[in-house]
Amino acid sequence: MPEIDTSPDNGRGGWVPYLYYPSVPAAGIFVALFTICAAVHIFRLFKYKGWYFIPFIIGIIFEAIGYVGRIGSHYNFNSLGFFIMQSLLILLAPALFAASIYMTLSRIAIALHAEQFLVIRARWLTTFFVTGDVLSFLAQSSGGGLMAGGKPDSAKLGQKVITGGLFIQIFFFCGFIIIATIFHRRLSTSPSHAIEKVKGRKYIWTMYAANGLILIRSMFRVIEYIMPHDGPLLANEAYLYVFDATLMFIVVALYIVVKPYGDLFDEWKRRKDAGGLELTRR
């Protein structure tokens, strides 16, 4: 591979999209993994009609296309199109995962006849956290656009904007985990909800695991973007695959093993159809 020119005379004031040539085998593996997972989730989406998981599936598709962009960057190193593709799609996919995960807690609570244990009314819970997720999404996407401008000054500003968006994401993640933990504790200590506690256990722990993995990934990204463009995390591709690609694949795989549909969510739909929004106003 030719040496990467980071001198001020390289035509972009010293800025380069990468400090390495993206690995084709590594990207190819995750293109295949995310594509297979997307196919499984899409099949189940239409089979079980779990439409609230559409953002999650779009996130999986973002991941797959993002790693295609990294393959394109390997063969066309200076292409801003491939750089923007991989940068934005891989960056934004977890925000879409989060949007669907935020919707699961109120559904679990209603399905278990335990919405009274929520700190925030079920009807407002999803709205509150998805709104925060949208704010994070918008901030990260605008920051990614600035970073893709190909100029050192805009890249630095873009890093700051992305960092702000990631802090918003972390703030809402932490708040969601606290509310979910309070709900779980109240459900577990309620003597009249012993059966519901057992029914909801795997869904609640899957939600914890997914949130924890996305939180670790977001913290990694914050540290990455706080550092300069030539910092060790951005300069070493391995960190991306360990703390982003692998963690996000585990999140996607978790919701294949523990389906976000099935009997529990059939009960949520039955109660919703029977009582409408009155179910969530208690």
Side-chain angles (χ1 to χ4, degrees), residues 194-235:
I195 295 175
E196 287 80 1
K197 179 180 68 175
V198 174
K199 286 182 178 179
R201 183 181 296 155
K202 67 178 180 180
Y203 297 102
I204 293 172
W205 282 107
T206 300
M207 187 176 62
Y208 282 150
N211 273 298
L213 291 169
I214 297 175
L215 183 60
I216 293 169
R217 175 265 178 194
S218 296
M219 292 174 68
F220 157 71
R221 284 293 199 170
V222 166
I223 297 169
E224 180 185 52
Y225 285 114
I226 286 175
M227 291 181 173
H229 181 63
D230 58 352
L233 295 185
L234 282 170

Side-chain angles (χ1 to χ4, degrees), residues 11-227:
R12 294 193 178 95
W15 184 87
V16 290
Y18 311 91
L19 293 172
Y20 52 81
Y21 284 90
S23 168
V24 172
I29 288 170
F30 281 96
V31 169
L33 290 175
F34 283 119
T35 299
I36 292 168
C37 289
V40 173
H41 276 287
I42 290 170
F43 171 77
R44 288 181 175 175
L45 175 73
F46 287 98
K47 180 179 180 180
Y48 296 103
K49 297 179 172 58
W51 309 123
Y52 79 102
F53 235 63
I54 288 176
F56 192 95
I57 293 171
I58 294 173
I60 304 173
I61 295 169
F62 272 26
E63 292 278 9
I65 298 174
Y67 288 102
V68 169
R70 293 187 70 84
I71 294 173
S73 288
H74 175 88
Y75 293 107
N76 192 348
F77 182 80
N78 290 310
S79 168
L80 281 180
F82 284 128
F83 176 72
I84 292 169
M85 179 195 299
Q86 67 85 33
S87 178
L88 282 178
L89 297 183
I90 295 172
L91 180 67
L92 296 175
L96 294 168
F97 297 159
S100 289
I101 293 170
Y102 286 150
M103 297 181 206
T104 62
L105 182 57
S106 61
R107 284 164 169 76
I108 290 171
I110 292 170
L112 296 178
H113 300 252
E115 58 266 38
Q116 68 271 25
F117 297 144
L118 291 170
V119 175
I120 300 176
R121 290 182 180 182
R123 66 180 301 210
W124 296 113
L125 186 68
T126 296
T127 301
F128 177 74
F129 284 103
V130 171
T131 299
D133 198 53
V134 169
L135 291 175
S136 170
F137 184 95
L138 292 174
Q140 291 180 69
S141 59
S142 60
L146 287 169
M147 279 195 69
K151 297 179 181 179
D153 290 341
S154 64
K156 289 178 183 178
L157 178 59
Q159 283 184 251
K160 293 178 181 178
V161 175
I162 289 172
T163 302
L166 289 167
F167 272 121
I168 294 172
Q169 189 177 70
I170 289 171
F171 172 80
F172 279 93
F173 263 129
C174 291
F176 182 77
I177 291 170
I178 290 169
I179 290 173
T181 302
I182 293 171
F183 167 79
H184 191 191
R185 182 177 178 277
R186 289 175 176 177
L187 178 68
S188 298
T189 56
S190 172
S192 60
H193 283 76
I195 295 175
E196 287 80 1
K197 179 180 68 175
V198 174
K199 286 182 178 179
R201 183 181 296 155
K202 67 178 180 180
Y203 297 102
I204 293 172
W205 282 107
T206 300
M207 187 176 62
Y208 282 150
N211 273 298
L213 291 169
I214 297 175
L215 183 60
I216 293 169
R217 175 265 178 194
S218 296
M219 292 174 68
F220 157 71
R221 284 293 199 170
V222 166
I223 297 169
E224 180 185 52
Y225 285 114
I226 286 175
M227 291 181 173

